[in-house]
Amino acid sequence: MAQLKKLKRLNNAQTAYFCEQLWLMLNSGMQLNDGLDILSEDMDDANLRGICVFLSDGICNGDTLHQAMVDSRVFPEYAVSMVKIGGISGRLDDVLRDLSEYYENRAD
């Protein structure tokens, strides 16, 4: 499991990238945990890789993506809230796409 204390808070560009990559995985039909596992293998950034591992571990232990994001303490509060809504409504892929665009605009 990724060490929580070693994970660093994501900036807007990193949040946009993470959401976009996870959206692409879900949009292709992958299960959430499989997508996170693949992302953790492909991430060049050690912090993002650790976050993917942390989230995947949380989901394997029965947490929702929202709860794992809360526990990680690295995501902006707005992103966490929107992921909760996406999970409840069954539209997580749409929410991740929209979050990607939102944080990309904020990064610019």
Side-chain angles (χ1 to χ4, degrees):
M1 179 182 241
Q3 294 292 328
L4 183 59
K5 64 184 174 184
K6 293 182 181 179
L7 299 179
K8 295 178 183 143
R9 190 157 184 80
L10 297 179
N11 62 33
N12 289 333
Q14 292 168 319
T15 302
Y17 179 75
F18 174 83
C19 291
E20 178 184 39
Q21 295 302 305
L22 192 53
W23 167 68
L24 289 170
M25 295 290 178
L26 293 178
N27 198 45
S28 73
M30 283 189 181
Q31 295 295 316
L32 180 59
N33 204 45
D34 293 336
L36 286 167
D37 288 342
I38 290 172
L39 284 178
S40 70
E41 294 169 8
D42 292 342
M43 288 284 182
D44 291 331
D45 182 288
N47 189 53
L48 284 171
R49 185 173 43 252
I51 290 167
C52 289
V53 170
F54 184 88
L55 296 176
S56 180
D57 287 350
I59 291 167
C60 282
N61 290 324
D63 287 340
T64 62
L65 177 60
H66 163 259
Q67 187 58 53
M69 289 173 74
V70 168
D71 293 344
S72 74
R73 295 182 282 191
V74 298
F75 290 94
E77 187 176 325
Y78 178 71
V80 174
S81 297
M82 293 305 294
V83 165
K84 181 178 183 178
I85 292 168
I88 291 170
S89 68
R91 304 204 47 160
L92 182 58
D93 55 338
D94 292 333
V95 167
L96 288 168
R97 181 195 62 227
D98 293 345
L99 283 171
S100 173
E101 292 173 8
Y102 173 79
Y103 282 103
E104 188 174 311
N105 289 335
R106 290 190 56 114
D108 291 339

